[in-house]
Amino acid sequence: MTLYICAHCGYGSATLLGRCPHCQNWNSFVGKKEEKVSPSKKIKIIKMSEINAKPLKKIKTFFADLNKVLGDGVVENEVILLTGEPGIGKSTLVLQAFSNLKTFYLCGEENSLSIFERIKRLKINPQNFLLTEDLGIEMVLSEIKKIKDQVDIIIVDSIQTIYSEKIDAAPGSLLQLKETLKQIINFAKKENKPFIVIGHITKEGEVAGPKTLEHLVDCVLAFEGEKDSLYRLIRAKKNRFGPTDEITLFEMKQSGLVEVKNSIFFQEDNDNLIGKANVGILEGKKPLFFEIQTLVAPTILSIPRRVVKGLDYNKVLLLLAVLKKYLHLPLDKYDVYVNVVGGISIKSPAADLGLVVSLISSFKNLPLPKNAIFLGEITLLGEIRSVPFEEKIIKEGKSLGFKNIFYSKNLNNIYQVKKIFNQ
């Protein structure tokens, strides 16, 4: 019996259809004969008590903080999926991170000359790299097997460009992605060779293609950041061999990515504090401090403008409504502009208090206290609530020289915010 599979979304049909009813693509069905699986006469049963577990051998990357995210390095047979938006610097990251290892690089996005030029710009030793522009996965894995003693790690850039000759579908389609990744995982486990597989993400922030990719691999690393920002962040969304609450920060420079050790992402000056508030949040296990700037100005429009960069737009609208409700600020007659300095995006509710006090400061043209940080979540009822690991953020803030720390214990609700400006 022949089963017809959509090459784009994997929808199955017993009959050949012209248009896929799931993803609406035309002429995307590929015929596949159903394989009859005969039941095994005997299976191998393993007793847990008889397993001789050996310590996992881990390979260190060039970046110390990246090793922490991975769980003290890359396991020798691990398959890691590295995701990120196009142009954010995924190729630069893997070239630098594994420059100290014997690396086999599959050039799917760029040719070998482009990779070589980038290696020269990053001042990396090219002798550690072997490259290929051939993208047939069976042929590539066969060649890697012959020289596996000369290779420490294999980089696939990217999974959407390679293909399997077993599948009659275009590279990047669902069937190709599943088959090629399946062969990579089988090879990694059998030959004890780690793979870094680069995958694109969609506008919604998901891995392009099937979500199944994330379930198959051992580790999923998300490489995040705005293209117009110098800062990049790596977090592990999934990690079978390490933690998922560690992050590492990088700054993109002309010479490549540099690890960021400082927790403060703004200029440490105390001039012109009107509309400017410092906030403390926790990313993974790391306290970080950012600067929120706001500008509240009279509008000439019937509907005032709301321009937000670095914070959730709907959350800003919510807090504006809270200010109007409880503090009676006529913000519907003013344009509001909000920006997080440095091109960083903040998702933590710990930044709520900092945003509110900066809005009040700009609206009333009153300065905020010097050497101050703000952290706290604001509810729809105007309450200021504590945030997870609040004490850790405060302790880090004090060690960095912040003397005035405002949070839920000295500000219970939004009515008490006015005492900040009376100091």
Side-chain angles (χ1 to χ4, degrees):
M1 179 180 177
T2 302
L3 182 66
Y4 296 93
I5 306 292
C6 176
H8 292 279
C9 68
Y11 181 85
S13 173
T15 58
L16 179 62
L17 302 176
R19 187 178 188 181
C20 176
H22 184 262
C23 66
Q24 306 301 317
N25 280 293
W26 288 92
N27 302 320
S28 60
F29 281 90
V30 178
K32 185 178 181 182
K33 289 186 178 181
E34 187 178 5
E35 298 179 0
K36 294 182 179 180
V37 180
S38 57
S40 301
K41 294 181 180 180
K42 188 176 181 181
I43 64 171
K44 184 180 179 181
I45 300 176
I46 302 173
K47 292 183 179 180
M48 189 67 71
S49 59
E50 295 178 355
I51 297 176
N52 295 321
K54 297 180 181 179
L56 295 174
K57 182 181 177 181
K58 296 194 174 182
I59 304 171
K60 302 288 187 181
T61 71
F62 179 77
F63 297 115
D65 284 349
L66 181 58
N67 290 329
K68 294 179 183 178
V69 174
L70 292 168
D72 203 29
V74 182
V75 176
E76 59 182 354
N77 60 0
E78 187 175 7
V79 178
I80 298 172
L81 178 63
L82 175 64
T83 69
E85 293 183 0
I88 199 171
K90 299 184 295 296
S91 299
T92 300
L93 172 66
V94 294
L95 287 174
Q96 287 186 261
F98 304 106
S99 59
N100 57 329
L101 302 173
K102 297 175 182 177
T103 305
F104 192 96
Y105 199 102
L106 275 74
C107 311
E109 299 290 335
E110 304 174 82
N111 58 32
S112 56
L113 180 60
S114 298
I115 298 296
F116 178 71
E117 291 296 328
R118 180 174 295 171
I119 287 174
K120 283 202 312 182
R121 178 173 59 83
L122 298 174
K123 297 180 180 178
I124 295 173
N125 184 6
Q127 295 182 353
N128 288 340
F129 289 86
L130 296 173
L131 295 87
T132 182
E133 296 178 0
D134 295 313
L135 303 177
I137 191 63
E138 292 87 2
M139 182 170 48
V140 170
L141 294 180
S142 176
E143 290 300 317
I144 294 175
K145 189 174 182 179
K146 296 176 183 177
I147 58 171
K148 64 180 182 178
D149 293 335
Q150 305 174 35
V151 176
D152 294 325
I153 195 165
I154 300 100
I155 296 172
V156 179
D157 187 8
S158 67
I159 187 66
Q160 280 85 6
T161 60
I162 62 175
Y163 63 91
S164 170
E165 295 179 354
K166 297 179 181 179
I167 302 297
D168 185 17
S173 63
L174 174 65
L175 298 179
Q176 285 287 4
L177 288 170
K178 292 179 71 175
E179 178 61 30
T180 52
L181 189 59
K182 178 183 174 182
Q183 291 193 40
I184 287 172
I185 292 171
N186 290 339
F187 184 89
K189 305 307 179 186
K190 185 178 179 180
E191 303 295 336
N192 281 332
K193 291 296 176 184
F195 279 76
I196 308 295
V197 180
I198 295 177
H200 300 306
I201 63 170
T202 62
K203 294 179 180 178
E204 291 75 25
E206 305 294 342
V207 179
K211 193 72 174 175
T212 313
L213 287 183
E214 295 189 7
H215 298 291
L216 294 174
V217 298
D218 299 307
C219 176
V220 179
L221 294 181
F223 196 37
E224 304 170 354
E226 301 292 336
K227 288 184 180 180
D228 56 352
S229 170
L230 297 176
Y231 297 106
R232 305 286 188 268
L233 181 147
I234 291 184
R235 70 173 82 244
K237 290 186 174 180
K238 169 189 175 182
N239 196 351
R240 287 175 180 160
F241 305 111
T244 55
D245 56 357
E246 289 279 3
I247 66 164
T248 183
L249 291 159
F250 293 98
E251 183 178 0
M252 179 67 80
K253 296 185 176 181
Q254 184 65 28
S255 58
L257 292 165
V258 178
E259 284 182 302
V260 176
K261 301 297 182 182
N262 195 350
S263 301
I264 301 177
F265 290 83
F266 54 85
Q267 292 183 352
E268 299 176 71
D269 58 64
N270 294 316
D271 298 328
N272 190 22
L273 297 176
I274 295 175
K276 185 168 71 172
N278 303 326
V279 298
I281 67 171
L282 195 75
E283 282 285 355
K285 293 182 179 179
K286 196 170 187 177
L288 301 175
F289 301 90
F290 301 96
E291 179 183 300
I292 295 178
Q293 294 183 357
T294 60
L295 176 63
V296 180
T299 185
I300 59 172
L301 305 172
S302 56
I303 300 176
R305 297 193 68 189
R306 303 288 186 256
V307 180
V308 180
K309 186 174 182 182
L311 292 169
D312 182 70
Y313 181 79
N314 291 322
K315 188 58 178 286
V316 173
L317 296 182
L318 183 151
L319 294 176
L320 288 173
V322 170
L323 287 175
K324 184 178 179 182
K325 169 75 175 179
Y326 297 106
L327 298 186
H328 308 292
L329 299 182
L331 295 172
D332 52 348
K333 299 178 181 179
Y334 291 80
D335 293 328
V336 175
Y337 304 86
V338 179
N339 178 49
V340 179
V341 174
I344 302 292
S345 294
I346 301 177
K347 299 178 182 178
S348 173
D352 291 358
L353 181 58
L355 172 61
V356 164
V357 298
S358 66
L359 284 167
I360 298 173
S361 171
S362 181
F363 178 80
K364 295 191 173 184
N365 204 36
L366 294 173
L368 289 166
K370 297 181 179 181
N371 297 318
I373 57 172
F374 303 87
L375 62 149
E377 180 180 5
I378 296 180
T379 69
L380 290 174
L381 303 179
E383 300 170 315
I384 300 175
R385 294 186 177 178
S386 61
V387 295
F389 303 100
E390 190 173 68
E391 295 300 327
K392 186 174 183 178
I393 300 172
I394 293 171
K395 183 179 178 181
E396 180 72 13
K398 289 179 178 178
S399 69
L400 293 172
F402 293 106
K403 297 178 181 178
N404 299 308
I405 299 177
F406 298 94
Y407 61 117
S408 59
K409 289 188 177 179
N410 51 29
L411 294 174
N412 295 325
N413 55 61
I414 200 167
Y415 297 109
Q416 297 181 355
V417 170
K418 60 183 180 181
K419 72 180 183 181
I420 297 174
F421 300 95
N422 296 329
Q423 296 186 5

